[in-house]
């Protein structure tokens, strides 16, 4: 799926997303999810990391297993895709903090993923 674009509307939804992130997300190397601002874990995390209040999305590797989570970097983005800050997996966990995005999969990606 390396040559198939993952999201059809990512450039429109996140116009300030840096090209390197755009390309790695579109090629399915990195994953992007929305931050769930209504969950308890979000509220707790905001008290430790105040910048999180501005974050709408987070980019991370879907290939790193939980045992190696502490070595990962999470890149937080604003509502327009602008990179805000990053946090290591040693500083916080994403589990329970994420929700689906408003990004639409391309037809080619859906077809390949269903194989």
């Amino acid at each position: 799926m390396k040559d198939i674009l993952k999201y059809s509307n990512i450039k429109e939804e996140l116009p300030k997303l840096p090209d390197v992130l755009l390309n790695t997300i579109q090629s399915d190397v990195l994953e992007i999810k929305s931050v769930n601002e209504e969950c308890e874990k979000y509220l707790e995390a905001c008290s430790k990391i105040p910048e999180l209040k501005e974050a709408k999305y987070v980019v991370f590797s879907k290939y790193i297993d939980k045992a190696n989570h502490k070595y990962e970097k999470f890149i937080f983005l604003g509502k327009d895709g602008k990179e805000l800050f990053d946090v290591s997996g040693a500083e916080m966990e994403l589990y329970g903090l994420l929700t689906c995005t408003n990004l639409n999969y391309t037809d080619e990606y859906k077809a390949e993923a269903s194989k």
Side-chain angles (χ1 to χ4, degrees):
M1 296 206 310
K2 197 172 178 179
D3 298 324
I4 296 173
L5 296 180
K6 187 171 183 177
Y7 295 109
S8 61
N9 63 335
I10 193 167
K11 287 183 180 181
E12 294 80 19
E13 292 292 325
L14 304 171
K16 293 186 178 178
L17 185 66
D19 285 343
V20 69
L21 291 178
L22 173 66
N23 295 335
T24 53
I25 291 166
Q26 284 291 60
S27 62
D28 209 23
V29 172
L30 294 178
E31 185 62 74
I32 185 169
K33 292 286 183 188
S34 293
V35 176
N36 183 353
E37 298 171 339
E38 297 176 6
C39 72
E40 186 68 33
K41 190 168 188 175
Y42 171 79
L43 300 173
E44 289 174 25
C46 282
S47 67
K48 296 175 188 169
I49 307 169
E51 300 94 341
L52 190 58
K53 292 177 184 169
E54 301 299 317
K56 301 298 180 197
Y57 299 93
V58 63
V59 177
F60 59 96
S61 173
K62 64 183 186 178
Y63 298 107
I64 295 181
D65 61 17
K66 193 170 184 173
N68 292 301
H69 177 76
K70 62 185 173 194
Y71 305 110
E72 186 172 9
K73 282 279 188 195
F74 308 122
I75 302 168
F76 288 88
L77 309 172
K79 65 181 178 183
D80 57 3
K82 181 179 177 186
E83 192 173 335
L84 300 176
F85 63 95
D86 60 68
V87 176
S88 76
E91 295 174 79
M92 76 178 296
E93 287 188 4
L94 292 181
Y95 302 104
L97 188 63
L98 306 178
T99 187
C100 296
T101 67
N102 56 341
L103 301 175
N104 301 319
Y105 293 121
T106 62
D107 291 338
E108 296 83 7
Y109 182 83
K110 288 190 280 187
E112 190 66 29
S114 67
K115 289 183 181 179

